[in-house]
Amino acid sequence: MNNYIIADLRRILIRIPLLIAEVCLLGFLLIVILVTYNGDWNSVSFIANIRTLLQFMVVFMGLVMVIAVFADDFKTKTMQVAIGIGISRAKVILSKYIEIMVLTFINLFVMIILAFVMGGIFHANLIGEQVWELLGIFFVTWLSVISYTGLTMILIFYTQTVGLSGFVYLILSSGLVSFGIDRIFDIPALSSSHINMMTLRNVLSSFETYLAVGDFRLKLFLGILVYMLSGYLISVLVFRNRELEF
């Protein structure tokens, strides 16, 4: 499985479309920093801008990762080859999930470096606590991308295509589903249950809020892991009996 992951990552990382997409994402980050900069810029406004930007990055970066990891694989049938040589379907799915984690981490790591460099150039003057807050925002962004991807994988492995799955990722990561559930539970008869606070988006938001003040809420973190694990396990169940075209 390790060789499969390494070979897959090498294939993905050298693809021109992915490199172009990554440059565009980094360019967008740079443009936002430049556009929002003014002479009175301080550490608070800097962090607020980065937080807002990364909320959009969850949508766009995650979509890029989904396309990069799955689209070419289904086209070239490398997944079928891996299964044909004896790698179980559960391990294939796990490999794809790990690839999403690694690629997202690489992208966010580069963005972290760029953000700190630009913050230094434009004198954001971050103090120690704000540095940790900024790192926490990036950490939650990483969790967000892989969590939403995990749920999207269920449809990806069921349909074995990326088109509709990419659209579903956009709906999930943009918060439309969570927004709809929140509106339903605004009804007085349902509002007291607070079930809507258990949606992935709300759990991630609450976790980030506590993390920003240095409070690592283990219960919320475990809730995020439950969503990630659920996406993987359901994907395995769905993919187990699906026919593959060799």
Side-chain angles (χ1 to χ4, degrees), residues 18-192:
L18 176 63
L19 296 176
I20 294 175
E22 290 177 342
V23 170
C24 289
L25 290 174
L26 291 174
F28 184 53
L29 171 64
L30 181 60
I31 290 171
V32 169
I33 292 176
L34 291 174
V35 169
T36 58
Y37 172 75
N38 58 66
D40 297 324
W41 208 28
N42 56 42
S43 58
V44 175
S45 59
F46 175 75
I47 291 177
N49 288 332
I50 295 297
R51 177 182 282 109
T52 301
L53 173 64
L54 289 179
Q55 290 173 350
F56 288 100
M57 285 296 182
V58 170
V59 177
F60 298 114
M61 183 188 299
L63 185 59
V64 169
M65 294 300 103
V66 167
I67 294 173
V69 170
F70 292 103
D72 192 54
D73 205 325
F74 287 122
K75 184 187 300 182
T76 59
K77 302 188 186 306
T78 56
M79 192 181 302
Q80 289 91 323
V81 173
I83 294 172
I85 62 175
I87 299 177
S88 70
R89 297 193 181 202
K91 288 184 177 180
V92 167
I93 296 174
L94 180 59
S95 298
K96 293 300 176 186
Y97 213 0
I98 292 174
E99 289 167 21
I100 289 285
M101 295 178 188
V102 172
L103 291 172
T104 304
F105 177 82
I106 291 173
N107 278 271
L108 287 174
F109 180 77
V110 175
M111 287 187 176
I112 290 172
I113 300 301
L114 180 59
F116 280 121
V117 169
M118 296 303 295
I121 292 174
F122 293 118
H123 308 291
N125 299 321
L126 298 173
I127 61 175
E129 293 178 354
Q130 291 173 321
V131 170
W132 285 109
E133 181 182 356
L134 191 58
L135 291 175
I137 295 171
F138 277 97
F139 177 57
V140 174
T141 300
W142 181 72
L143 290 176
S144 300
V145 172
I146 60 179
S147 298
Y148 288 123
T149 302
L151 296 178
T152 307
M153 283 198 314
I154 299 171
L155 184 60
I156 290 175
F157 283 102
Y158 180 78
T159 63
Q160 298 178 41
T161 59
V162 174
L164 179 60
S165 305
F167 179 69
V168 170
Y169 179 88
L170 287 175
I171 293 176
L172 290 174
S173 60
S174 64
L176 289 177
V177 173
S178 182
F179 177 81
I181 294 175
D182 284 341
R183 297 295 72 78
I184 292 173
F185 281 90
D186 281 341
I187 300 173
L190 300 174
S191 60
S192 60

